[in-house]
Amino acid sequence: MHVVVNAAMSADGKLSSRRREQITISGPEDFARVDRLRARSDAVVVGVGTVLADDPHLTLDDPELREQRLEAGKSEHPARVVVDSNARTPTDARIVDDAAATYLLVSESARFDRRAELARPSVEFVTAGEGRVDLLRAFASLQERGIEEVMVEGGGELIFSLVESGLVDELSVFVGPQLVGGRDAPTLADGDGFVENFPELTLEDVERMDDGVLLRWTLAE
């Protein structure tokens, strides 16, 4: 499985403001790039915090990209994956509509009544871990379902956990021309943080885009 983390952050490394509301960081060029990256992926992954804050749909905007996927024998949109240990995804969230298949990665502690409320033909539950999702087991289960190319779109807690688990192969980050500030504003990698054995990145590409810059790193195995 090949896992790419994609994110847009401010010049000071923030994904959004301290209110954790979605803010516009990149522009039209980067939006189109993200759509192309989604189109190449078998699945797009977010954490439940992103679902609660932004209510993303995670489908393809460009009809040509959708048509290309269909011509290649794939589904119109990549599958959507939510890492949601306790099944907190709202029942009316756009990510569980029937536009595309959705996998909800939950732990054994997720309440059965919440699972029942979220059950629908487009949703499949993947249970891995006791109190929280065991990402290694969950991603292995996704791979068993034929998912090989994965795009991760946040948030910071999930990105940190994936890097900590050794699951990330590539990191693509658009750095925008604004300062957000705030000690409580989410960053690219939140979680507990590393205090030693910091993951090493190799810079593969730098590209000026919109009014910012796109950086692409690979992670050492």
Side-chain angles (χ1 to χ4, degrees):
M1 179 183 284
H2 185 77
V3 178
V4 178
V5 169
N6 182 79
M9 68 181 187
S10 62
D12 55 338
K14 306 298 186 181
L15 300 182
S16 66
S17 72
R18 59 185 172 83
R19 294 179 177 175
R20 296 185 176 268
E21 298 169 343
Q22 188 176 39
I23 60 176
T24 300
I25 294 175
S26 58
E29 284 186 82
D30 189 54
F31 293 153
R33 178 192 66 85
V34 171
D35 215 31
R36 292 192 298 271
L37 183 55
R38 284 182 182 172
R40 294 199 303 267
S41 303
D42 297 320
V44 181
V45 183
V46 294
V48 68
T50 298
V51 173
L52 293 171
D54 301 337
D55 191 23
H57 203 202
L58 301 186
T59 52
L60 299 179
D61 294 326
D62 189 337
E64 291 187 11
L65 293 176
R66 298 199 297 268
E67 184 63 30
Q68 288 171 14
R69 283 182 59 90
L70 292 172
E71 289 175 354
K74 300 179 180 180
S75 58
E76 185 176 12
H77 303 282
R80 302 167 296 186
V81 179
V82 184
V83 181
D84 185 5
S85 296
N86 296 307
R88 294 190 294 142
T89 297
T91 56
D92 61 349
R94 296 196 300 160
I95 206 166
V96 293
D97 67 12
D98 61 2
T102 299
Y103 295 96
L104 293 182
L105 310 187
V106 300
S107 71
E108 294 174 6
S109 64
R111 288 167 28 197
F112 286 103
D113 61 331
R114 286 293 299 142
R115 299 193 200 198
E117 290 171 1
L118 288 162
R120 57 210 66 192
S122 61
V123 172
E124 180 176 345
F125 289 92
V126 176
T127 304
E130 297 182 2
R132 58 182 299 181
V133 171
D134 182 324
L135 291 170
L136 287 170
R137 285 174 51 194
F139 272 52
S141 294
L142 292 176
Q143 192 168 20
E144 291 172 359
R145 290 162 169 81
I147 293 176
E148 295 290 346
E149 293 291 331
V150 175
M151 175 185 180
V152 179
E153 292 201 28
E157 295 277 348
L158 174 60
I159 292 171
F160 172 81
S161 296
L162 289 169
V163 173
E164 185 181 38
S165 299
L167 287 167
V168 178
D169 299 293
E170 186 179 329
L171 180 63
S172 293
V173 180
F174 177 86
V175 182
Q178 61 269 96
L179 295 173
V180 174
R183 66 179 62 87
D184 296 323
T187 66
L188 182 66
D190 285 336
D192 295 331
F194 297 101
V195 294
E196 58 183 2
N197 300 321
F198 303 104
E200 295 185 6
L201 309 178
T202 300
L203 184 63
E204 301 289 351
D205 191 41
V206 179
E207 179 183 356
R208 184 161 185 167
M209 185 174 290
D210 293 317
D211 291 321
V213 62
L214 177 67
L215 305 174
R216 187 173 68 84
W217 291 279
T218 52
L219 277 75
E221 297 183 0

